[in-house]
């Protein structure tokens, strides 16, 4: 009797392990887990693409990021890169030296627009660096074109004068398996004249320098730590670390793996100084490639998740810093599966506030708390031999307070981070149900020569369910090979985040609440082209999907700002034209605060004080 193993495929950039085929049987895949003597098979994850001939749409911008700061005023437009062609470029950058016009700018926005042509291609990572410093991370739409933007005002003191930009689309070309698509990219910097925000960093030190002279490193189970030795100027009175991250290989869908939690831990001279919670970014070929055409998931085209750690109290330890970064559970994933293909791409920078005329002359750490715990994977057998339940959770608390003495003044710096994470799954060879949530907060308070506060809070919940069936079309296939495949499922992914900062009297507040919901499935024949999850759609027999995205964004500085409300729904219901279409699209921008009205209110308050409160105070003073 011929055995058919039913699998869940989340067609995304990577899969779980591909094990040898059993002669005379359908394909058998295993993650290598044995629980109580029962072999447990898990759904696989693919990165899938398809021929452009299936797509018959070419609007001005087929896909776009919902996140958009609709800033008023006429900007200074600076072309960073025009019609840049990425063929078989890999990580090799296209380099452009650009002169940034001098001036005072209240906001700076970087726009990245990309088009795909010349055949089938996967979603690819997009990186932009300025003098080796990461200022933009995102990815491509597999077809047609896309546009996205990122606020880069924090880099205003970096983006001055002559700047060397390194632009990367990690594209690969392989005509043998019909991967021939090319990408063309345009990058534009928009500078909005106005008062420069108070309290911007004025020095930037890229971490993890690569052979291409920009910040980039890949971690895996055999090399899960990266270290940078940095000499921080003695005049530094504040330091923060900005980190970009993304899971790759078998960890593109790390939240569906076992273990399903990943924490990015930052050490400063062997002190655990920070914990970052990665967001579950889904690329345009991920889970179900039709879900994201035309409407993309959250943080896909441009990353907006906060990855900022305040390290100011650590200056009391030493200005010769050894920065060590590691990703948890990579070795555990290797031990459970036997695979080393759990990758994490990282890029980072130390942002420094430096006054060379006022060097630090001493410092003391007065409080220190380093608490991190992870339960490790817990497996519970199900009611049937092939079913398993998985649980894992953990929490952390980090707190540092230091007294920093300078030649002219003193600063008391406190940073507190805390959070928790929980993962739950049930799975067998037919389906997988996934839940993960990460909740975190960070608070910072610096008092003395300057006064600074920061409060961040957020969480990233994801709920997924998929079932699928696959049948190899040959008894003993070798890569590349074809599968008859059918998948159905649903997911809900959210990004909830708020951040408030004050630097002396300059106050900035922002909040983002974004949720994407997808459901549906497809069937057809796919060609598996490598052993870590790449596949191409050969033919399509059914296709239906509905994806909706809702965004509520608020950004305010000193009481004046903007609010964005966005809702869109994309539909897939054709095997002939799989470009899909928007069934709903609503975007509303509104102002927060009215400068003219606020000025009138302040004048009115001043008059009330003069007419009423000043005479009262004078009379009280005379009475006393």
């Amino acid at each position: 009797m011929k055995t058919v193993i039913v699998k869940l495929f989340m067609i995304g950039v990577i899969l779980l392990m591909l094990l040898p085929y059993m002669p005379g049987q359908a394909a058998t895949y295993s993650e290598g887990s044995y629980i109580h003597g029962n072999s447990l098979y898990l759904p696989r994850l693919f990165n899938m693409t398809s021929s452009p001939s299936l797509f018959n749409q070419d609007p001005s911008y087929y896909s776009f990021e919902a996140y958009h700061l609709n800033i008023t005023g006429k900007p200074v437009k600076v072309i960073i890169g025009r019609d840049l062609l990425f063929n078989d470029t890999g990580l090799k950058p296209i380099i452009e030296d650009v002169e940034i016009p001098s001036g005072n700018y209240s906001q700076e926005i970087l726009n990245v627009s990309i088009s795909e042509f010349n055949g089938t291609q996967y979603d690819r990572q997009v990186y932009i660096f300025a003098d080796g410093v990461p200022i933009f991370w995102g990815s491509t739409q597999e077809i047609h074109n896309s546009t996205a933007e990122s606020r880069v005002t924090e880099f205003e003191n970096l983006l001055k004068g002559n700047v060397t930009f390194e632009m990367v689309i990690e594209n690969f070309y392989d005509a043998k398996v019909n991967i021939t698509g090319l990408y063309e990219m345009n990058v534009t910097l928009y500078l909005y004249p106005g008062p420069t925000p108070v309290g911007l960093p004025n020095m930037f030190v890229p971490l993890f320098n690569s052979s291409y002279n920009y910040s980039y490193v890949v971690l895996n189970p055999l090399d899960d730590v990266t270290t940078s030795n940095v000499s921080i100027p003695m005049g530094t009175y504040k330091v923060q670390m900005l980190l970009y991250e993304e899971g790759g290989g078998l960890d593109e869908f790390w939240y569906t793996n076992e273990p399903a939690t990943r924490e990015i831990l930052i050490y400063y001279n062997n002190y655990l100084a920070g914990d970052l919670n990665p967001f579950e970014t889904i690329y345009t070929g991920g889970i179900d490639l039709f879900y994201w055409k035309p409407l993309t998931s959250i943080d896909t085209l441009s990353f907006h998740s906060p990855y900022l750690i305040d390290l100011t109290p650590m200056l009391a330890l030493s200005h010769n810093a050894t920065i060590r970064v590691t990703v948890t559970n990579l070795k555990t994933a290797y031990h459970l599966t036997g695979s080393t293909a759990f990758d994490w791409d990282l890029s980072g920078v130390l942002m420094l506030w430096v006054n060379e005329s006022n060097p630090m002359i001493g410092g003391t750490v007065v409080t220190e708390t380093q608490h991190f715990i992870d339960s490790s994977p817990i497996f519970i057998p199900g009611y049937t031999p092939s079913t398993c339940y998985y649980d894992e959770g953990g929490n952390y608390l980090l707190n540092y307070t230091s007294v920093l003495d300078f030649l002219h003044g003193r600063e008391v710096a406190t940073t507190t981070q805390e959070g928790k994470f929980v993962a739950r799954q049930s799975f067998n060879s037919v389906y997988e149900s996934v839940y993960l949530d990460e909740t975190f907060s960070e608070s910072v308070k610096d008092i003395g020569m300057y006064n600074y506060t920061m409060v961040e809070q957020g969480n990233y919940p994801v709920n997924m369910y998929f079932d699928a069936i696959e049948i190899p079309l040959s008894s003993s296939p070798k890569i590349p090979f074809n599968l008859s495949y059918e998948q159905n499922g649903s997911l809900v992914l959210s990004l909830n985040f708020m951040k408030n900062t004050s630097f002396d009297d300059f106050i900035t507040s922002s909040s983002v609440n974004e949720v994407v919901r997808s459901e549906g499935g497809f069937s057809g024949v796919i060609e598996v082209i490598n052993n870590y999850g790449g596949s191409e759609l050969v033919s399509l027999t059914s296709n239906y999907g509905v994806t909706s995205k809702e965004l509520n964004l608020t950004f305010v500085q000193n009481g004046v700002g903007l609010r964005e409300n966005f809702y869109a729904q994309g539909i897939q219901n054709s095997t002939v034209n799989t470009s899909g279409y928007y069934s709903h699209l609503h975007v509303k921008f509104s102002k927060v605060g009215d400068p003219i009205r606020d000025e009138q209110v302040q004048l009115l308050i001043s008059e009330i004080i003069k007419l009423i409160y000043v005479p009262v105070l004078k009379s009280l003073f005379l009475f006393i």
Side-chain angles (χ1 to χ4, degrees):
M1 179 178 176
K2 206 169 186 179
T3 303
V4 177
I5 301 296
V6 181
K7 304 309 291 173
L8 152 66
F9 285 85
M10 288 170 247
I11 300 190
V13 178
I14 312 288
L15 354 190
L16 304 179
M17 278 192 72
L18 177 63
L19 294 188
Y21 286 95
M22 298 175 61
Q25 294 184 330
T28 302
Y29 305 94
S30 169
E31 198 187 9
S33 300
Y34 257 87
I35 313 299
H36 298 285
N38 296 322
S39 182
L40 299 177
Y41 300 103
L42 291 153
R44 251 193 326 169
L45 305 183
F46 274 131
N47 179 290
M48 185 172 287
T49 186
S50 61
S51 170
S53 63
L54 289 173
F55 303 97
N56 301 310
Q57 182 174 333
D58 190 17
S60 177
Y61 285 112
Y62 171 72
S63 293
F64 50 88
E65 196 68 66
Y67 185 103
H68 181 67
L69 293 176
N70 189 34
I71 301 171
T72 58
K74 184 178 180 179
V76 177
K77 182 178 178 181
V78 183
I79 302 298
I80 306 301
R82 176 175 289 166
D83 299 336
L84 305 178
L85 181 63
F86 294 86
N87 187 351
D88 196 22
T89 48
L91 289 168
K92 184 179 179 180
I94 294 178
I95 299 174
E96 297 283 352
D97 293 320
V98 179
E99 187 71 25
I100 307 297
S102 60
N104 295 321
Y105 303 109
S106 60
Q107 296 293 341
E108 300 192 357
I109 301 295
L110 189 71
N111 177 268
V112 179
S113 298
I114 300 171
S115 61
E116 192 275 342
F117 62 98
N118 198 56
T120 303
Q121 190 52 264
Y122 287 100
D123 48 41
R124 300 298 190 183
Q125 278 62 51
V126 179
Y127 313 128
I128 297 178
F129 305 88
D131 292 338
V133 173
I135 63 171
F136 180 96
W137 268 39
S139 68
T140 67
Q141 173 59 274
E142 289 183 329
I143 60 170
H144 299 324
N145 53 30
S146 64
T147 187
E149 69 177 36
S150 181
R151 180 177 177 269
V152 294
T153 310
E154 281 73 16
F155 300 103
E156 186 162 341
N157 289 316
L158 173 69
L159 303 176
K160 287 185 174 182
N162 189 269
V163 179
T164 298
F165 289 89
E166 302 102 332
M167 289 160 283
V168 178
I169 294 182
E170 194 177 358
N171 199 33
F172 296 97
Y173 186 100
D174 191 348
K176 296 190 302 296
V177 289
N178 197 36
I179 303 300
T180 60
L182 308 179
Y183 283 110
E184 189 175 80
M185 178 162 68
N186 288 277
V187 181
T188 306
L189 179 64
Y190 293 94
L191 310 173
Y192 290 83
T196 302
V198 176
L200 295 178
N202 60 353
M203 186 175 291
F204 302 84
V205 181
L207 304 171
F208 331 129
N209 284 333
S210 71
S211 59
Y212 291 111
N213 202 34
Y214 58 71
S215 170
Y216 181 82
V217 67
V218 180
L219 303 185
N220 59 60
L222 301 184
D223 188 11
D224 65 346
V225 178
T226 184
T227 301
S228 293
N229 295 311
V230 180
S231 181
I232 298 174
M234 293 303 297
T236 302
Y237 57 92
K238 185 164 190 61
V239 55
Q240 293 182 340
M241 178 178 176
L242 175 68
L243 188 74
Y244 289 99
E245 56 72 30
E246 60 188 1
L250 301 183
D251 250 2
E252 182 177 351
F253 309 108
W254 46 272
Y255 41 92
T256 70
N257 290 345
E258 291 75 43
T261 66
R262 301 289 186 271
E263 299 293 306
I264 302 174
L265 305 181
I266 295 98
Y267 293 85
Y268 188 110
N269 290 1
N270 295 320
Y271 286 79
L272 180 57
D275 186 329
L276 293 175
N277 304 267
F279 181 70
E280 306 94 333
T281 303
I282 304 174
Y283 303 108
T284 56
I287 311 298
D288 179 332
L289 76 164
F290 299 116
Y291 280 175
W292 320 120
K293 295 174 177 58
L295 186 61
T296 62
S297 184
I298 301 169
D299 270 15
T300 298
L301 303 177
S302 175
F303 294 3
H304 298 103
S305 304
Y307 297 117
L308 192 68
I309 297 295
D310 194 287
L311 299 175
T312 305
M314 315 311 289
L315 291 173
L317 299 173
S318 176
H319 282 63
N320 294 316
T322 298
I323 307 294
R324 184 162 54 93
V325 180
T326 186
V327 179
T328 65
N329 275 332
L330 295 186
K331 282 186 167 61
T332 304
Y334 166 67
H335 291 146
L336 284 173
T337 66
S339 174
T340 61
F342 300 90
D343 301 331
W344 281 82
D345 301 28
L346 303 178
S347 183
V349 58
L350 288 185
M351 304 192 299
L352 308 179
W353 287 252
V354 182
N355 180 0
E356 295 179 353
S357 65
N358 188 25
M360 183 174 156
I361 58 176
T364 304
V365 178
V366 295
T367 63
E368 171 211 335
T369 301
Q370 304 177 63
H371 169 84
F372 176 87
I373 188 170
D374 186 330
S375 69
S376 297
I378 301 170
F379 294 99
I380 303 170
Y383 295 107
T384 62
S386 63
T387 301
C388 184
Y389 298 97
Y390 155 80
D391 284 274
E392 186 167 357
N395 59 76
Y396 58 90
L397 173 63
L398 308 174
N399 173 257
Y400 293 92
T401 298
S402 293
V403 177
L404 308 177
D405 290 311
F406 294 82
L407 184 62
H408 307 290
R410 166 178 285 186
E411 196 74 22
V412 179
T414 300
T415 297
T416 302
Q417 268 195 286
E418 57 184 322
K420 61 182 179 180
F421 49 92
V422 59
R424 299 189 184 97
Q425 295 179 12
S426 62
F427 55 86
N428 59 22
S429 59
V430 179
Y431 77 93
E432 183 172 17
S433 177
V434 171
Y435 170 76
L436 173 74
D437 194 12
E438 306 162 288
T439 302
F440 57 91
S441 68
E442 180 177 9
S443 62
V444 178
K445 189 172 187 178
D446 301 340
I447 302 175
M449 301 181 302
Y450 68 93
N451 296 310
Y452 173 86
T453 63
M454 179 177 76
V455 177
E456 290 184 341
Q457 295 178 345
N459 77 311
Y460 306 145
V462 59
N463 282 278
M464 297 170 54
Y465 172 86
F466 283 89
D467 56 56
I469 183 171
E470 59 171 281
I471 302 175
L473 299 182
S474 60
S475 60
S476 182
K478 294 182 180 180
I479 293 174
F481 63 88
N482 287 356
L483 294 173
S484 177
Y485 178 74
E486 183 176 355
Q487 172 188 307
N488 285 282
S490 64
L491 69 86
V492 179
L493 172 64
S494 299
L495 184 152
N496 305 300
F497 175 69
M498 64 81 73
K499 178 180 178 181
N500 298 321
T501 64
S502 67
F503 202 108
D504 291 332
D505 295 328
F506 192 87
I507 301 172
T508 302
S509 302
S510 62
S511 66
V512 179
N513 300 104
E514 194 167 4
V515 59
V516 64
R517 298 177 175 87
S518 299
E519 63 178 344
F522 70 97
S523 63
V525 175
I526 64 174
E527 180 184 36
V528 179
I529 66 171
N530 58 45
N531 61 3
Y532 56 88
S535 64
E536 182 180 354
L537 184 66
V538 177
S539 64
L540 188 63
T541 54
S542 67
N543 173 35
Y544 176 75
V546 179
T547 295
S548 65
K549 181 193 286 187
E550 183 177 357
L551 167 72
N552 294 292
L553 163 69
T554 302
F555 182 85
V556 178
Q557 287 188 319
N558 284 348
V560 179
L562 61 89
R563 182 176 292 112
E564 178 189 5
N565 304 108
F566 175 96
Y567 177 80
Q569 184 179 77
I571 301 290
Q572 285 279 346
N573 56 12
S574 173
T575 60
V576 179
N577 177 10
T578 54
S579 291
Y581 59 92
Y582 293 100
S583 60
H584 295 81
L585 181 58
H586 170 80
V587 184
K588 178 183 178 182
F589 294 97
S590 55
K591 292 183 179 180
V592 177
D594 184 337
I596 297 177
R597 184 194 62 190
D598 291 347
E599 183 178 355
Q600 293 172 343
V601 170
Q602 290 299 322
L603 289 173
L604 179 61
I605 292 174
S606 298
E607 292 299 317
I608 291 173
I609 291 173
K610 290 178 183 178
L611 293 172
I612 300 176
Y613 291 102
V614 171
V616 171
L617 290 173
K618 285 182 177 179
S619 63
L620 287 174
F621 179 78
L622 292 173
F623 179 78
I624 292 171

